Every structure is written in structure tokens, then in C-alpha cells.
Amino acid sequence: MTIATGAPPTRNTPAAVASGFLMGGVIGASPAALVVGAVIENAPLFVLGIVLPAVYGLLFFLAGAPRRAREAAVAPRTALALVESREAVGGEATSDVAVRFELTVAPDDVPAYRAAFTQHVNVVDLADYRPGGVVVAQYPPDRPWRVRIVKRPTPEWEERAAGARVDSAPGPALVSETPEGSAVGIVRLLALLLAAGGVVLLFRADLFDQNASAPPPSAAGPPVSSSSSSTTVVSSASGTVTLGPNQSFLDQGELRGAVTSLLKGADTRAVLTVVVRERLLSIVYAPTGAQASTFDPDSLPYDRFPALVREARTSLGAGSPQTWQITVERLTGSLTVRVGVTGAEGGASLEADARGKVVRRTPAH
């Protein structure tokens, strides 16, 4: 038997490439199915993400059973070996220590060769495997890199090892079975990406619809309903409506419709305050039984709001760019509509009564 030393040639056989492709597909598809299935609440897809690795593992085990049976049927060979080096690599907290050995294995009928491997050794027996010592080793004849030190050899081999002298073999050590080639790694990575992307692509409609319809989180956790143009949040104490881009509550009918939608979700039509900005409406409902100055939002002069904002922005000297806000309340006894603007020159405001008639102006200073 001829034993080749050094690193074994890489495996790029069709079977190895196919196996790598299948493994990469499972690694990519399984987590993708779990994530996508959870997001879109697709139970069969989620279960597939769990079952797929188990099925692959079972098939891999069954496919390798004939090879393992053939390997088990081959009787190992016994030979003397010289301990070139040893190094503990783990397990110091237990009685067995993982030791990295490098041996020169000297079979009787073939040239000696070097092999490196890791084997667990009891701490008490470490002294028997000092560098330079001769031990008894076994290895499968078709896989010479799978060397193992025989901890309790037969009396015959123990006697041979006691009086033997083994010379070091030149060259690098056999360290493992034939490694995978670069082609296998590339194919595996490609399969991983294709499988993960394929799952997302197949369910992209449900996935993106789910993301698009997901409402923004609310700090108070109230129920939220959304549409393509606005988002409405209603709780027992307040309600808000947020408009989408290119929309404004100064558009005709927009503010009245938003207020009506918030009142539908309230137990009472009486409110304490109404605050309106360009795309944000907030209403604070009056608590049940509270002795507070409330008003009915249906009585507000909605038609006058655009003109009031326009007057506040153009006649009070706030400058530009500007932001504006309408606040409606009855804290002083009579309904007050206050329009505030803030610009480069500072803040300014005007106040109007329940009919939308301006009663006070405060220019920017």
C-alpha cells in the first residue's frame, strides 16, 4: 500500500458539487422560510422552515449509511508511532483532555508518514505520551489520516513499543480527509443565496403588502387604522389623524371629515381641545363626568380656517419659512380659535371667536 504524505487533493467531483449545492439550498431556504412565514403569518411556510433541515439531515444520514458500513467492515491496521509533538487544546476542567498529537506512523510494510489529529486522553495517562516516546497506533488502511493511539495495546505490541526505535518521517502531516475544493464552496454559497432569494421572491406580494399595511407603533398602544392617505389613532382620552404626503388639513372638506372620523370612535361628542397642523390633527376628549369647559367640534367654523391661517401668515410679520398651528379651546368660557405662526422673524398669532371673526392680533416682534 502506498501512502501519500502532505495535504490531500481537493474534492471537486460532480457528487461533491451536487451535495454542496443541496446543502447550500437548505441553509438558505430554511431561515428564509422561517422569517417570511412568521412575518406574513403563513403557518405551512414557517413549519417548512423547521422541517426542511430535519429532512435533509435524515436523507444525508441514510445516504451515508452504505459508506459507513463499508468503512466499518475494514479492519484497522496497527503500527508503531513516534510522538513528534503534543498540545492540550481543550477539556482541562475535566479528567479527559483534548490533545493535539503529531505522530510519525511507521507501518511494517509501507513507508512511514506523519499524521496530525486530536484525541482525548485522561490526565493521568498524559505522561505516557511524551514527545519522543514510541506508542502503538491504529488507522484504517484506506484512511491513514484517521490515526488513533491505542491506549491499552496487546502484550505483544506493548513489548514491541517498549524496545522499538522509530525515526521521524519527513514532510508535512496528513491532517484530515480530502478537503472540499473551491468550486464546492462557491456552488454552496450560490445555492444559499438563490434559495433565500427564491423564498422572498415567491412570497414578495404577501410580504410587501404586510409591510406596507403595518401601522406605525404608538407609545400608548391604542388601536390604529390606516389607509393609503391617512393614519388614524383613537384611544379613550384622545384621537389623532396624520395625513400622507402632498395633503393638508386646509384642503376643502379634509379637516371636517377627519374630525368626524375621530368622533365616531369616542364615547362623547364633547372635547376639551382641538389642535390642527399642516398634516396632523389632535383631539382631546372630555372625561366622563368632568366639570370642564367643553365644546362640540361640529360647531367650529371650518370654512374660515384657511382664511385665518392665510391672514396670520401674511399680515403678522413672522417671515418665512413658516409653520402654523390652530388651537381651539374654551378655557376662558367662550370658544377661542387661536392661529399661531412661527417664521424667521419670530412667532405671531391671531385669535377669532366661534364664528371665525378675528378679535385680536399679536404681530411678530
Side-chain angles (χ1 to χ4, degrees), residues 9 29 76 87 89 92 99 128 133 144 148 240 269 290 314 318 320 340 342 346 349:
E87 178 185 4
V89 294
E92 290 82 354
V99 181
D128 297 335
R148 286 293 178 267
T240 62
R269 300 182 67 84
T314 58
S320 60
T342 303
S349 65

mmCIF file with all atom_site columns, all heavy atoms in Angstrom, residues 9 29 76 87 89 92 99 128 133 144 148 240 269 290 314 318 320 340 342 346 349:
data_model
loop_
_atom_site.group_PDB
_atom_site.id
_atom_site.type_symbol
_atom_site.label_atom_id
_atom_site.label_alt_id
_atom_site.label_comp_id
_atom_site.label_asym_id
_atom_site.label_entity_id
_atom_site.label_seq_id
_atom_site.pdbx_PDB_ins_code
_atom_site.Cartn_x
_atom_site.Cartn_y
_atom_site.Cartn_z
_atom_site.occupancy
_atom_site.B_iso_or_equiv
_atom_site.pdbx_formal_charge
_atom_site.auth_seq_id
_atom_site.auth_comp_id
_atom_site.auth_asym_id
_atom_site.auth_atom_id
_atom_site.pdbx_PDB_model_num
ATOM 1   N N   . PRO A 1 9   ? -5.452  15.998 -2.207 1.00 0.00 ? 9   PRO A N   1
ATOM 2   C CA  . PRO A 1 9   ? -6.035  16.861 -3.242 1.00 0.00 ? 9   PRO A CA  1
ATOM 3   C C   . PRO A 1 9   ? -7.475  17.207 -2.903 1.00 0.00 ? 9   PRO A C   1
ATOM 4   O O   . PRO A 1 9   ? -8.174  16.465 -2.226 1.00 0.00 ? 9   PRO A O   1
ATOM 5   C CB  . PRO A 1 9   ? -5.952  15.997 -4.504 1.00 0.00 ? 9   PRO A CB  1
ATOM 6   C CG  . PRO A 1 9   ? -5.913  14.586 -3.998 1.00 0.00 ? 9   PRO A CG  1
ATOM 7   C CD  . PRO A 1 9   ? -5.167  14.637 -2.709 1.00 0.00 ? 9   PRO A CD  1
ATOM 8   N N   . ALA A 1 29  ? -32.695 28.334 2.349  1.00 0.00 ? 29  ALA A N   1
ATOM 9   C CA  . ALA A 1 29  ? -34.161 28.316 2.325  1.00 0.00 ? 29  ALA A CA  1
ATOM 10  C C   . ALA A 1 29  ? -34.775 28.201 3.710  1.00 0.00 ? 29  ALA A C   1
ATOM 11  O O   . ALA A 1 29  ? -35.830 28.784 3.974  1.00 0.00 ? 29  ALA A O   1
ATOM 12  C CB  . ALA A 1 29  ? -34.641 27.153 1.454  1.00 0.00 ? 29  ALA A CB  1
ATOM 13  N N   . PRO A 1 76  ? -8.880  -2.260 11.045 1.00 0.00 ? 76  PRO A N   1
ATOM 14  C CA  . PRO A 1 76  ? -7.803  -1.278 11.174 1.00 0.00 ? 76  PRO A CA  1
ATOM 15  C C   . PRO A 1 76  ? -6.435  -1.952 11.227 1.00 0.00 ? 76  PRO A C   1
ATOM 16  O O   . PRO A 1 76  ? -6.306  -3.117 11.605 1.00 0.00 ? 76  PRO A O   1
ATOM 17  C CB  . PRO A 1 76  ? -8.137  -0.581 12.494 1.00 0.00 ? 76  PRO A CB  1
ATOM 18  C CG  . PRO A 1 76  ? -8.903  -1.594 13.281 1.00 0.00 ? 76  PRO A CG  1
ATOM 19  C CD  . PRO A 1 76  ? -9.691  -2.375 12.270 1.00 0.00 ? 76  PRO A CD  1
ATOM 20  N N   . GLU A 1 87  ? -0.093  18.808 22.250 1.00 0.00 ? 87  GLU A N   1
ATOM 21  C CA  . GLU A 1 87  ? -0.543  20.108 22.754 1.00 0.00 ? 87  GLU A CA  1
ATOM 22  C C   . GLU A 1 87  ? -1.984  19.979 23.213 1.00 0.00 ? 87  GLU A C   1
ATOM 23  O O   . GLU A 1 87  ? -2.852  19.542 22.455 1.00 0.00 ? 87  GLU A O   1
ATOM 24  C CB  . GLU A 1 87  ? -0.447  21.182 21.666 1.00 0.00 ? 87  GLU A CB  1
ATOM 25  C CG  . GLU A 1 87  ? -0.942  22.554 22.119 1.00 0.00 ? 87  GLU A CG  1
ATOM 26  C CD  . GLU A 1 87  ? -0.948  23.567 20.989 1.00 0.00 ? 87  GLU A CD  1
ATOM 27  O OE1 . GLU A 1 87  ? -0.628  23.172 19.841 1.00 0.00 ? 87  GLU A OE1 1
ATOM 28  O OE2 . GLU A 1 87  ? -1.282  24.737 21.231 1.00 0.00 ? 87  GLU A OE2 1
ATOM 29  N N   . VAL A 1 89  ? -5.558  21.124 23.841 1.00 0.00 ? 89  VAL A N   1
ATOM 30  C CA  . VAL A 1 89  ? -6.357  22.134 23.152 1.00 0.00 ? 89  VAL A CA  1
ATOM 31  C C   . VAL A 1 89  ? -7.738  22.315 23.774 1.00 0.00 ? 89  VAL A C   1
ATOM 32  O O   . VAL A 1 89  ? -8.525  23.112 23.287 1.00 0.00 ? 89  VAL A O   1
ATOM 33  C CB  . VAL A 1 89  ? -6.511  21.765 21.658 1.00 0.00 ? 89  VAL A CB  1
ATOM 34  C CG1 . VAL A 1 89  ? -5.177  21.826 20.953 1.00 0.00 ? 89  VAL A CG1 1
ATOM 35  C CG2 . VAL A 1 89  ? -7.147  20.385 21.493 1.00 0.00 ? 89  VAL A CG2 1
ATOM 36  N N   . GLU A 1 92  ? -9.594  21.040 29.894 1.00 0.00 ? 92  GLU A N   1
ATOM 37  C CA  . GLU A 1 92  ? -8.771  20.999 31.092 1.00 0.00 ? 92  GLU A CA  1
ATOM 38  C C   . GLU A 1 92  ? -9.588  20.895 32.371 1.00 0.00 ? 92  GLU A C   1
ATOM 39  O O   . GLU A 1 92  ? -9.078  20.515 33.401 1.00 0.00 ? 92  GLU A O   1
ATOM 40  C CB  . GLU A 1 92  ? -7.895  22.259 31.164 1.00 0.00 ? 92  GLU A CB  1
ATOM 41  C CG  . GLU A 1 92  ? -6.785  22.329 30.131 1.00 0.00 ? 92  GLU A CG  1
ATOM 42  C CD  . GLU A 1 92  ? -7.270  22.839 28.782 1.00 0.00 ? 92  GLU A CD  1
ATOM 43  O OE1 . GLU A 1 92  ? -8.487  23.022 28.645 1.00 0.00 ? 92  GLU A OE1 1
ATOM 44  O OE2 . GLU A 1 92  ? -6.427  23.043 27.896 1.00 0.00 ? 92  GLU A OE2 1
ATOM 45  N N   . VAL A 1 99  ? -6.145  16.529 23.282 1.00 0.00 ? 99  VAL A N   1
ATOM 46  C CA  . VAL A 1 99  ? -4.731  16.734 22.977 1.00 0.00 ? 99  VAL A CA  1
ATOM 47  C C   . VAL A 1 99  ? -4.529  16.653 21.469 1.00 0.00 ? 99  VAL A C   1
ATOM 48  O O   . VAL A 1 99  ? -5.024  15.723 20.809 1.00 0.00 ? 99  VAL A O   1
ATOM 49  C CB  . VAL A 1 99  ? -3.849  15.684 23.689 1.00 0.00 ? 99  VAL A CB  1
ATOM 50  C CG1 . VAL A 1 99  ? -2.372  15.928 23.375 1.00 0.00 ? 99  VAL A CG1 1
ATOM 51  C CG2 . VAL A 1 99  ? -4.084  15.727 25.189 1.00 0.00 ? 99  VAL A CG2 1
ATOM 52  N N   . ASP A 1 128 ? 2.451   9.123  29.570 1.00 0.00 ? 128 ASP A N   1
ATOM 53  C CA  . ASP A 1 128 ? 2.810   8.005  28.691 1.00 0.00 ? 128 ASP A CA  1
ATOM 54  C C   . ASP A 1 128 ? 2.985   8.448  27.239 1.00 0.00 ? 128 ASP A C   1
ATOM 55  O O   . ASP A 1 128 ? 3.422   7.646  26.411 1.00 0.00 ? 128 ASP A O   1
ATOM 56  C CB  . ASP A 1 128 ? 1.733   6.916  28.760 1.00 0.00 ? 128 ASP A CB  1
ATOM 57  C CG  . ASP A 1 128 ? 1.611   6.324  30.156 1.00 0.00 ? 128 ASP A CG  1
ATOM 58  O OD1 . ASP A 1 128 ? 2.609   6.386  30.909 1.00 0.00 ? 128 ASP A OD1 1
ATOM 59  O OD2 . ASP A 1 128 ? 0.523   5.833  30.506 1.00 0.00 ? 128 ASP A OD2 1
ATOM 60  N N   . GLY A 1 133 ? 8.568   9.684  22.611 1.00 0.00 ? 133 GLY A N   1
ATOM 61  C CA  . GLY A 1 133 ? 8.211   8.341  23.010 1.00 0.00 ? 133 GLY A CA  1
ATOM 62  C C   . GLY A 1 133 ? 7.565   7.565  21.879 1.00 0.00 ? 133 GLY A C   1
ATOM 63  O O   . GLY A 1 133 ? 7.043   8.128  20.919 1.00 0.00 ? 133 GLY A O   1
ATOM 64  N N   . PRO A 1 144 ? -5.580  6.680  6.086  1.00 0.00 ? 144 PRO A N   1
ATOM 65  C CA  . PRO A 1 144 ? -4.440  6.688  7.016  1.00 0.00 ? 144 PRO A CA  1
ATOM 66  C C   . PRO A 1 144 ? -4.377  7.913  7.913  1.00 0.00 ? 144 PRO A C   1
ATOM 67  O O   . PRO A 1 144 ? -3.640  7.912  8.902  1.00 0.00 ? 144 PRO A O   1
ATOM 68  C CB  . PRO A 1 144 ? -3.230  6.627  6.076  1.00 0.00 ? 144 PRO A CB  1
ATOM 69  C CG  . PRO A 1 144 ? -3.718  7.156  4.771  1.00 0.00 ? 144 PRO A CG  1
ATOM 70  C CD  . PRO A 1 144 ? -5.147  6.728  4.672  1.00 0.00 ? 144 PRO A CD  1
ATOM 71  N N   . ARG A 1 148 ? -5.325  6.795  15.558 1.00 0.00 ? 148 ARG A N   1
ATOM 72  C CA  . ARG A 1 148 ? -5.676  6.854  16.963 1.00 0.00 ? 148 ARG A CA  1
ATOM 73  C C   . ARG A 1 148 ? -4.624  6.084  17.768 1.00 0.00 ? 148 ARG A C   1
ATOM 74  O O   . ARG A 1 148 ? -4.182  5.007  17.358 1.00 0.00 ? 148 ARG A O   1
ATOM 75  C CB  . ARG A 1 148 ? -7.058  6.234  17.222 1.00 0.00 ? 148 ARG A CB  1
ATOM 76  C CG  . ARG A 1 148 ? -8.208  7.115  16.759 1.00 0.00 ? 148 ARG A CG  1
ATOM 77  C CD  . ARG A 1 148 ? -8.268  8.375  17.622 1.00 0.00 ? 148 ARG A CD  1
ATOM 78  N NE  . ARG A 1 148 ? -9.319  9.285  17.208 1.00 0.00 ? 148 ARG A NE  1
ATOM 79  C CZ  . ARG A 1 148 ? -9.170  10.292 16.351 1.00 0.00 ? 148 ARG A CZ  1
ATOM 80  N NH1 . ARG A 1 148 ? -7.976  10.485 15.795 1.00 0.00 ? 148 ARG A NH1 1
ATOM 81  N NH2 . ARG A 1 148 ? -10.152 11.085 16.053 1.00 0.00 ? 148 ARG A NH2 1
ATOM 82  N N   . THR A 1 240 ? -55.981 61.091 17.037 1.00 0.00 ? 240 THR A N   1
ATOM 83  C CA  . THR A 1 240 ? -55.143 61.836 16.099 1.00 0.00 ? 240 THR A CA  1
ATOM 84  C C   . THR A 1 240 ? -55.346 61.294 14.691 1.00 0.00 ? 240 THR A C   1
ATOM 85  O O   . THR A 1 240 ? -55.652 60.109 14.509 1.00 0.00 ? 240 THR A O   1
ATOM 86  C CB  . THR A 1 240 ? -53.645 61.738 16.458 1.00 0.00 ? 240 THR A CB  1
ATOM 87  O OG1 . THR A 1 240 ? -53.249 60.369 16.387 1.00 0.00 ? 240 THR A OG1 1
ATOM 88  C CG2 . THR A 1 240 ? -53.370 62.291 17.835 1.00 0.00 ? 240 THR A CG2 1
ATOM 89  N N   . ARG A 1 269 ? -69.334 63.421 22.352 1.00 0.00 ? 269 ARG A N   1
ATOM 90  C CA  . ARG A 1 269 ? -69.006 64.374 21.297 1.00 0.00 ? 269 ARG A CA  1
ATOM 91  C C   . ARG A 1 269 ? -68.386 65.640 21.868 1.00 0.00 ? 269 ARG A C   1
ATOM 92  O O   . ARG A 1 269 ? -68.031 66.549 21.131 1.00 0.00 ? 269 ARG A O   1
ATOM 93  C CB  . ARG A 1 269 ? -70.258 64.726 20.499 1.00 0.00 ? 269 ARG A CB  1
ATOM 94  C CG  . ARG A 1 269 ? -70.906 63.533 19.832 1.00 0.00 ? 269 ARG A CG  1
ATOM 95  C CD  . ARG A 1 269 ? -72.107 63.956 19.015 1.00 0.00 ? 269 ARG A CD  1
ATOM 96  N NE  . ARG A 1 269 ? -71.732 64.774 17.871 1.00 0.00 ? 269 ARG A NE  1
ATOM 97  C CZ  . ARG A 1 269 ? -71.332 64.272 16.700 1.00 0.00 ? 269 ARG A CZ  1
ATOM 98  N NH1 . ARG A 1 269 ? -71.227 62.961 16.548 1.00 0.00 ? 269 ARG A NH1 1
ATOM 99  N NH2 . ARG A 1 269 ? -71.033 65.075 15.702 1.00 0.00 ? 269 ARG A NH2 1
ATOM 100 N N   . ALA A 1 290 ? -66.634 64.914 33.864 1.00 0.00 ? 290 ALA A N   1
ATOM 101 C CA  . ALA A 1 290 ? -65.729 66.002 34.244 1.00 0.00 ? 290 ALA A CA  1
ATOM 102 C C   . ALA A 1 290 ? -66.438 67.348 34.142 1.00 0.00 ? 290 ALA A C   1
ATOM 103 O O   . ALA A 1 290 ? -67.199 67.597 33.210 1.00 0.00 ? 290 ALA A O   1
ATOM 104 C CB  . ALA A 1 290 ? -64.505 65.994 33.347 1.00 0.00 ? 290 ALA A CB  1
ATOM 105 N N   . THR A 1 314 ? -49.552 86.083 6.429  1.00 0.00 ? 314 THR A N   1
ATOM 106 C CA  . THR A 1 314 ? -49.193 87.186 5.540  1.00 0.00 ? 314 THR A CA  1
ATOM 107 C C   . THR A 1 314 ? -49.220 88.558 6.200  1.00 0.00 ? 314 THR A C   1
ATOM 108 O O   . THR A 1 314 ? -48.589 89.504 5.688  1.00 0.00 ? 314 THR A O   1
ATOM 109 C CB  . THR A 1 314 ? -50.146 87.214 4.331  1.00 0.00 ? 314 THR A CB  1
ATOM 110 O OG1 . THR A 1 314 ? -51.505 87.359 4.793  1.00 0.00 ? 314 THR A OG1 1
ATOM 111 C CG2 . THR A 1 314 ? -50.016 85.941 3.512  1.00 0.00 ? 314 THR A CG2 1
ATOM 112 N N   . ALA A 1 318 ? -44.279 87.409 10.526 1.00 0.00 ? 318 ALA A N   1
ATOM 113 C CA  . ALA A 1 318 ? -43.470 86.313 11.069 1.00 0.00 ? 318 ALA A CA  1
ATOM 114 C C   . ALA A 1 318 ? -42.315 85.937 10.160 1.00 0.00 ? 318 ALA A C   1
ATOM 115 O O   . ALA A 1 318 ? -41.341 85.317 10.591 1.00 0.00 ? 318 ALA A O   1
ATOM 116 C CB  . ALA A 1 318 ? -44.348 85.084 11.316 1.00 0.00 ? 318 ALA A CB  1
ATOM 117 N N   . SER A 1 320 ? -40.537 84.080 6.678  1.00 0.00 ? 320 SER A N   1
ATOM 118 C CA  . SER A 1 320 ? -40.604 82.719 6.137  1.00 0.00 ? 320 SER A CA  1
ATOM 119 C C   . SER A 1 320 ? -39.215 82.080 6.211  1.00 0.00 ? 320 SER A C   1
ATOM 120 O O   . SER A 1 320 ? -38.204 82.802 6.293  1.00 0.00 ? 320 SER A O   1
ATOM 121 C CB  . SER A 1 320 ? -41.097 82.765 4.684  1.00 0.00 ? 320 SER A CB  1
ATOM 122 O OG  . SER A 1 320 ? -40.211 83.536 3.884  1.00 0.00 ? 320 SER A OG  1
ATOM 123 N N   . GLY A 1 340 ? -51.495 80.324 15.397 1.00 0.00 ? 340 GLY A N   1
ATOM 124 C CA  . GLY A 1 340 ? -50.128 80.743 15.642 1.00 0.00 ? 340 GLY A CA  1
ATOM 125 C C   . GLY A 1 340 ? -49.242 80.398 14.462 1.00 0.00 ? 340 GLY A C   1
ATOM 126 O O   . GLY A 1 340 ? -49.398 79.346 13.836 1.00 0.00 ? 340 GLY A O   1
ATOM 127 N N   . THR A 1 342 ? -44.995 80.591 13.118 1.00 0.00 ? 342 THR A N   1
ATOM 128 C CA  . THR A 1 342 ? -43.598 80.780 13.515 1.00 0.00 ? 342 THR A CA  1
ATOM 129 C C   . THR A 1 342 ? -42.758 80.852 12.261 1.00 0.00 ? 342 THR A C   1
ATOM 130 O O   . THR A 1 342 ? -42.850 79.978 11.385 1.00 0.00 ? 342 THR A O   1
ATOM 131 C CB  . THR A 1 342 ? -43.120 79.631 14.404 1.00 0.00 ? 342 THR A CB  1
ATOM 132 O OG1 . THR A 1 342 ? -43.968 79.534 15.555 1.00 0.00 ? 342 THR A OG1 1
ATOM 133 C CG2 . THR A 1 342 ? -41.691 79.869 14.865 1.00 0.00 ? 342 THR A CG2 1
ATOM 134 N N   . GLY A 1 346 ? -39.757 85.340 14.040 1.00 0.00 ? 346 GLY A N   1
ATOM 135 C CA  . GLY A 1 346 ? -40.318 85.029 15.340 1.00 0.00 ? 346 GLY A CA  1
ATOM 136 C C   . GLY A 1 346 ? -41.727 84.500 15.246 1.00 0.00 ? 346 GLY A C   1
ATOM 137 O O   . GLY A 1 346 ? -42.222 84.155 14.167 1.00 0.00 ? 346 GLY A O   1
ATOM 138 N N   . SER A 1 349 ? -49.475 85.553 16.304 1.00 0.00 ? 349 SER A N   1
ATOM 139 C CA  . SER A 1 349 ? -50.733 84.836 16.445 1.00 0.00 ? 349 SER A CA  1
ATOM 140 C C   . SER A 1 349 ? -51.903 85.782 16.258 1.00 0.00 ? 349 SER A C   1
ATOM 141 O O   . SER A 1 349 ? -51.761 87.009 16.370 1.00 0.00 ? 349 SER A O   1
ATOM 142 C CB  . SER A 1 349 ? -50.830 84.170 17.824 1.00 0.00 ? 349 SER A CB  1
ATOM 143 O OG  . SER A 1 349 ? -50.876 85.151 18.852 1.00 0.00 ? 349 SER A OG  1
#
